[in-house]
Amino acid sequence: RKEVEQDPGPFNVPEGATVAFNCTYSNSASQSFFWYRQDCRKEPKLLMSVYSSGNEDGRFTAQLNRASQYISLLIRDSKLSDSATYLCVVKTNTGNQFYFGTGTSLTVIP
Amino acid sequence: GAVVSQHPSRVICKSGTSVKIECRSLDFQATTMFWYRQFPKQSLMLMATSNEGSKATYEQGVEKDKFLINHASLTLSTLTVTSAHPEDSSFYICSARDIRELTDTQYFGPGTRLTVL
């Protein structure tokens, strides 16, 4: 079983739509959680960390459900510039191993 | 802040040659840097953790004699792909953690696209 699993998509949504991605992780000892975005042929860039209480940054909201071992990302009022691959990243509380999901592809359509 | 650079951004070489990739943290110090590899349509796979002043820690299945890592200073780590072969063609990305930050946030370099002919 993979450490981190994501629906690869693709998600094609119109501008202004709300879209949500989920990510599940297998290790209950996971400690740190992140969402990164990666544009085609570029490096990943940190979108936001995910905290137990949930957190919001503008149009982006991240939630963590430890009981069910999943993380979610909600994007409201989608913009064309949101088109990218969104990577779910999980780190356990031992060692330096960060586990990356395969990414969810989002295309926002005019 | 938190800028990581990589050099070169792209390299094409013949099979059998060695390629050196540099990863620099420009505005912060990093005792730990990470080297990843990403094949097309796949996720990043951690190859090794580079520790300043000590040996790198390699992930299972990664040959330490083929992928030489040196982390001689708090701002520079290098990855050398020795005797490169076409199957080593990939996107190599480094990341670094700011020693001042208590979080696990990693800052990624722009990547190096290696093509071995």
Side-chain angles (χ1 to χ4, degrees), chain B residues 45-63:
Chain B
M45 293 299 294
L46 179 66
M47 298 175 66
T49 302
S50 172
N51 305 298
E52 187 268 337
S54 64
K55 291 182 179 179
T57 304
Y58 289 82
E59 295 303 307
Q60 193 173 11
V62 178
E63 297 176 57

Side-chain angles (χ1 to χ4, degrees), chain A residues 15-35:
Chain A
E15 266 187 295
T18 295
V19 61
F21 308 136
N22 282 336
C23 162
T24 58
Y25 59 94
S26 61
N27 190 334
S28 60
S30 297
Q31 181 185 43
S32 305
F33 310 89
F34 309 89
W35 283 103

